Amino acid sequence: MSNINLIIPERAANIGNFLVGRLLPFRQKRMLGPFIFIDHMGPVQLSKREHFDVLPHPHIGLSTLTYLFEGSIMHRDSIGNAVEIKPGAVNWMTAGKGVVHSERTPDYLRKTNQELHGLQIWVALPKEKELIEPSFTHINKEELPTWQDKNIHYKLIAGEAFGKQSPVPVHSKLYMLELKCSNAQEVTLGEQLYGEVGLYILQGGIKTENQHFGEKQLLIAKDTKLCSFTMEADSVVYLFGGEAFEEERFIDWNFVSSSKARIEEAIKKWKAQDFPKIEGETEFVPYPDRKL
């Protein structure tokens, strides 16, 4: 019996000035554990006349996780943070009751050609934490737990797994893992993971149950404890998952909540520009009057 419950391909989505590959939400799988949104950005080549400029926009009810493979982004938010993220580091912003942030090419790079490549992720907050105060944490790449097992290099980007814990201050039981290998290697996860789990193939491919799967696919497992596969040489995969919430989550534009009324309130508030401001920013993204 196959342990693969669902195969989600990347689908092109427009985020303003370029296309991304969207993995979640998917019509047959709205969430994966507490993960509610996963975008694969790039790789995109930006000339010195092109910039990554995501104007100030709001969030409620979630945490954002930005993880880059290439390039650099300057994060600014209404809490007062201005932090540049580079490859291998983690930007973790918890919106809680409401926050505004922008993401742009840093000023010192705006006259050079750039490559941008990475993952942008939203993690829904537990119901009892949806209205907490907003916060922001930057974790340097050297702070993330890494280890080697056979031919696999592991990195725990967020959460808890394999008896280790990432310093990223998550709010529920979850994990995000990076696995890299130079030679083909069988991987059996067994009791190391919990809840729901998805495997995203960034590079290379995997074989499982006499089937081959290539890049830009997210595989959802039926049973975490039966999760085993063979990574092909020079492959990079990511494991996302954790314990699912009991309550449904609603999503509209950049807003996530267990309450539709709270989302409607946030929409009205953003249209009235009653969210907190980012120092030095005057532009903003208007509410698009459409569902995500």
Side-chain angles (χ1 to χ4, degrees):
M1 179 183 293
S2 174
N3 191 40
I4 298 172
N5 188 47
L6 184 64
I7 303 167
I8 301 176
E10 279 191 25
R11 293 98 59 212
N14 194 324
I15 63 167
N17 54 350
F18 65 91
L19 294 175
V20 297
R22 181 144 301 157
L23 294 161
L24 286 180
F26 186 62
R27 62 184 179 275
Q28 294 166 262
K29 186 67 176 172
R30 305 301 295 175
M31 295 180 68
L32 179 58
F35 291 86
I36 196 166
F37 180 98
I38 303 175
D39 266 0
H40 174 209
M41 303 185 299
V44 62
Q45 302 293 330
L46 300 174
S47 74
K48 56 187 177 182
R49 293 179 299 278
E50 299 172 303
H51 306 121
F52 181 78
D53 281 314
V54 180
L55 304 183
H57 58 281
H59 291 289
I60 66 166
L62 57 83
S63 296
T64 63
L65 189 158
T66 302
Y67 185 76
L68 297 181
F69 312 130
E70 298 288 343
S72 178
I73 295 175
M74 176 60 72
H75 161 99
R76 292 185 176 88
D77 62 43
S78 54
I79 317 168
N81 298 288
V83 179
E84 180 183 359
I85 182 172
K86 295 182 178 182
V90 174
N91 270 7
W92 175 264
M93 183 184 71
T94 295
K97 66 181 185 181
V99 75
V100 177
H101 75 135
S102 65
E103 298 161 291
R104 298 179 182 270
T105 299
D107 290 343
Y108 76 96
L109 293 176
R110 295 179 85 85
K111 294 183 179 180
T112 61
N113 297 333
Q114 293 290 308
E115 180 178 21
L116 190 62
H117 190 198
L119 294 170
Q120 290 205 307
I121 296 161
W122 297 355
V123 181
L125 288 168
K127 186 175 181 179
E128 68 275 11
K129 294 186 177 182
E130 288 183 315
L131 294 176
I132 61 176
E133 292 293 327
S135 60
F136 175 84
T137 303
H138 175 85
I139 304 295
N140 293 318
K141 63 180 182 180
E142 298 82 9
E143 299 176 68
L144 298 175
T146 61
W147 66 98
Q148 190 88 11
D149 185 13
K150 298 178 182 176
N151 290 321
I152 308 290
H153 181 270
Y154 292 82
K155 179 186 292 184
L156 181 59
I157 296 169
E160 295 179 61
F162 289 84
K164 296 174 172 59
Q165 183 169 354
S166 165
V168 174
V170 301
H171 298 281
S172 60
K173 290 279 287 181
L174 63 87
Y175 45 84
M176 176 181 171
L177 286 150
E178 176 186 83
L179 281 65
K180 292 183 176 181
C181 69
S182 54
N183 302 313
Q185 180 66 54
E186 185 175 349
V187 182
T188 301
L189 298 173
E191 302 291 328
Q192 304 294 343
L193 303 180
Y194 50 88
E196 298 183 320
V197 62
L199 185 154
Y200 171 62
I201 306 164
L202 175 72
Q203 177 182 310
I206 72 160
K207 293 178 181 176
T208 182
E209 300 161 352
N210 296 316
Q211 298 181 76
H212 174 268
F213 299 95
E215 297 174 357
K216 299 185 178 182
Q217 296 185 85
L218 176 64
L219 312 180
I220 310 297
K222 291 178 182 176
D223 187 336
T224 305
K225 293 179 176 58
L226 297 179
C227 197
S228 63
F229 52 93
T230 299
M231 289 179 67
E232 297 178 347
D234 300 316
S235 292
V236 182
V237 304
Y238 290 84
L239 297 172
F240 299 92
E243 294 181 357
F245 297 137
E246 292 182 5
E247 320 86 8
E248 182 180 1
R249 287 299 182 278
F250 304 103
I251 181 170
D252 188 314
W253 192 40
N254 299 316
F255 304 127
V256 169
S257 181
S258 59
S259 164
K260 288 185 177 179
R262 194 172 294 142
I263 288 178
E264 290 301 319
E265 181 184 336
I267 292 170
K268 291 177 183 176
K269 189 175 177 181
W270 182 247
K271 286 181 174 180
Q273 282 297 288
D274 284 340
F275 270 79
K277 306 290 191 242
I278 303 172
E279 185 177 349
E281 293 271 21
T282 56
E283 302 173 286
F284 65 91
V285 181
Y287 177 73
D289 285 309
R290 60 168 177 78
K291 300 295 183 184
L292 185 69

